[in-house]
Amino acid sequence: QVRLVESGGGLVQAGGSLRLSCAVGANIFSFQGMAWYRQPLGKQREFVASIRILLGGHTNYADSVKGRFTISKDGAKNTVYLQMDSLKPDDTGVYYCSRGRFIGGNYVSDSWGQGTQVTVSS
């Protein structure tokens, strides 16, 4: 387990932007990957974006957020970010940061943060 603390959530109007931060309580260069997930109220948690910490920092996104969200990392600060632009009401949910590994090309989480609420009003 590793300590992951999300911040930056809040209430924003549709079309607006937010930047989420995930402060990691360890050296992120010891990890294979990090990711963001979200869970709308009453629904299952879903993948949003992932980033390989090494190997060129390759990123992957859910189709629903491609072109609007950007995942990035700052190794000096041991922090992972999720820049969210052109937000839609369907983006509403609790956003979770995760640490994980890539198995057969698929991201598998093994640690989670406590989550931060994002609410997009229409």
Side-chain angles (χ1 to χ4, degrees):
Q1 291 291 323
V2 63
R3 183 168 176 263
L4 305 172
V5 180
E6 301 96 334
S7 62
L11 174 64
V12 64
Q13 287 188 332
S17 298
L18 282 175
R19 188 177 80 156
L20 305 183
S21 299
C22 175
V24 182
N27 182 353
I28 66 171
F29 289 109
S30 66
F31 305 160
Q32 284 190 16
M34 300 283 298
W36 288 93
Y37 284 71
R38 66 188 181 190
Q39 187 166 17
L41 186 64
K43 297 184 179 180
Q44 290 188 335
R45 192 173 299 187
E46 61 185 20
F47 171 82
V48 174
S50 66
I51 184 168
R52 288 186 182 264
I53 299 302
L54 299 175
L55 298 178
H58 177 75
T59 57
N60 189 36
Y61 297 91
D63 288 343
S64 59
V65 307
K66 278 181 182 176
R68 300 188 298 121
F69 290 12
T70 303
I71 187 171
S72 63
K73 58 177 172 59
D74 185 333
K77 296 182 179 179
N78 288 321
T79 301
V80 176
Y81 301 99
L82 184 68
Q83 177 67 41
M84 306 186 295
D85 299 317
S86 302
L87 282 161
K88 305 174 181 179
D90 284 349
D91 295 319
T92 295
V94 178
Y95 282 69
Y96 296 92
C97 176
S98 113
R99 188 273 303 268
R101 298 170 292 154
F102 291 91
I103 301 176
N106 297 314
Y107 179 86
V108 178
S109 299
D110 59 30
S111 294
W112 298 93
Q114 83 290 350
T116 185
Q117 176 70 44
V118 171
T119 303
V120 184
S121 63
S122 57

